Amino acid sequence: MTGVETRSVARDSLFLLADIRIEQGAEVHRVRVRNLSDGGMMGEGPLRVQRGHRVAVELRHIGSVGGTVAWVQDNRFGVAFDEEIDSQKARRPLQTSDDPTSALIVPSRAHRAPPPPHPSQLRKI
């Protein structure tokens, strides 16, 4: 494979958790979603899947999405969804109340750099 990007679908790197079930199986596995687009996802976890397996993925704010495992490499795998989703919905923060303003993200100031010193406090070397 070359270093040229051949994919035409935009996708974002992120860290979400999702529940996945292999079709015909009853066991539900918790996996990490590393990339998510409207047409598919990359998952990671101790799940034994093979290319071609049918799966159902439970994504927050979206629900259950059917798909097919497109590739597997080590503990990572790609799923092509049967139908496109609105992947932006899965990125929305969890709401704890019915008030839509509770989902607003307040920027944290806890990790800001301190302000620069006043020039009178500097000494020349």
Side-chain angles (χ1 to χ4, degrees), residues 12-89:
D12 292 328
S13 294
L14 69 154
F15 183 79
L16 290 176
L17 294 176
D19 291 325
I20 190 167
R21 183 181 57 81
I22 300 172
E23 198 170 82
Q24 308 301 326
E27 193 173 353
V28 176
H29 304 273
R30 177 66 50 106
V31 297
R32 289 177 290 281
V33 179
R34 294 295 187 180
N35 291 323
L36 181 66
S37 71
D38 291 352
M41 64 172 251
M42 178 175 77
E44 178 182 50
L47 175 64
R48 296 250 183 222
V49 291
Q50 293 179 358
R51 187 173 180 206
H53 275 168
R54 298 281 306 147
V55 295
V57 181
E58 186 73 28
L59 294 166
R60 77 174 185 197
H61 299 304
I62 293 175
S64 184
V65 181
T68 304
V69 176
W71 58 268
V72 178
Q73 183 176 11
D74 300 324
N75 64 340
R76 293 185 178 194
F77 56 93
V79 174
F81 297 145
D82 294 340
E83 296 181 19
E84 285 196 355
I85 62 166
D86 181 0
S87 59
Q88 293 300 316
K89 278 185 172 180

